[in-house]
């Protein structure tokens, strides 16, 4: 019995003969029985992330459980009003998988940078900036 994995980023962009993207691939949620196909696609997306953000390079090993979690996170991020709370021990990859999933979904990843002087006014400024980004 084959366990199907569902992903919505498996389609390829339309590229012209000069190597420029003509049309962005639509997000179509579909089943794929081959886990290696999805893993290759995720590694390709991670390479694209590393090219776009060279100072924040990610070298993740996408093992089966991490791949399944990444698929869940992308599905949640692309659903209307999708949100989730990731719980786990520190260093388990929650933040890295979320950054990669937000890049795959073309979403903005924002994280509050806490410092000793971070206070209520800083929080309000961060919220204002996020409202500007969202609106």
């Amino acid at each position: 019995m084959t366990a199907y994995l569902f992903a919505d980023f498996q389609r390829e962009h339309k590229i012209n003969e000069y190597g420029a993207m003509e049309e962005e691939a639509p997000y179509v949620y579909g089943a794929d029985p081959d886990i290696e196909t999805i893993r290759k696609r995720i590694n390709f997306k991670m390479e694209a992330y590393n090219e776009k953000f060279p100072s924040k390079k990610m070298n993740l090993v996408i093992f089966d459980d991490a791949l399944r979690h990444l698929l869940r996170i992308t599905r949640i991020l692309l659903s209307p009003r999708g949100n989730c709370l990731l719980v786990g021990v520190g260093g388990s990859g929650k933040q890295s998988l979320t950054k990669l999933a937000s890049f795959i979904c073309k979403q903005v990843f924002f994280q509050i940078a806490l410092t000793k002087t971070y206070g209520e006014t800083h929080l309000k400024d961060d919220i204002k900036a996020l409202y500007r980004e969202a609106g």
Side-chain angles (χ1 to χ4, degrees):
M1 182 174 168
T2 303
Y4 286 92
L5 294 176
F6 290 85
D8 46 10
F9 52 85
Q10 291 292 85
R11 302 242 173 136
E12 296 286 335
H13 298 304
K14 288 187 181 177
I15 307 293
N16 65 15
E17 64 268 11
Y18 303 111
M21 184 173 57
E22 285 185 349
E23 188 178 327
E24 215 172 273
Y27 288 107
V28 177
Y29 197 64
D32 196 333
D34 186 23
I35 195 168
E36 291 306 315
T37 305
I38 296 175
R39 190 183 327 272
K40 286 178 189 172
R41 190 80 174 135
I42 287 172
N43 285 327
F44 176 76
K45 295 283 188 177
M46 187 167 43
E47 288 174 17
Y49 176 88
N50 289 338
E51 286 177 16
K52 187 169 183 178
F53 304 106
S55 64
K56 301 176 183 178
K57 271 193 171 183
M58 278 196 279
N59 295 316
L60 302 176
V61 177
I62 306 296
F63 53 93
D64 291 354
D65 285 340
L67 185 135
R68 286 183 176 89
H69 285 302
L70 184 69
L71 292 177
R72 282 186 203 104
I73 295 168
T74 56
R75 184 179 67 234
I76 290 167
L77 289 178
L78 286 171
S79 66
R81 286 179 252 154
N83 61 77
C84 61
L85 175 66
L86 302 177
V87 179
V89 296
S92 61
K94 299 179 298 290
Q95 184 175 333
S96 299
L97 288 177
T98 305
K99 282 182 185 178
L100 183 58
S102 65
F103 177 77
I104 290 170
C105 298
K106 295 181 177 51
Q107 303 290 327
V108 175
F109 180 84
F110 177 79
Q111 183 176 9
I112 293 174
L114 293 177
T115 61
K116 288 183 180 181
T117 60
Y118 193 87
E120 188 176 335
T121 55
H122 294 101
L123 177 64
K124 287 180 181 178
D125 290 340
D126 284 342
I127 291 172
K128 277 186 211 175
L130 288 171
Y131 272 123
R132 278 193 211 101
E133 183 74 31

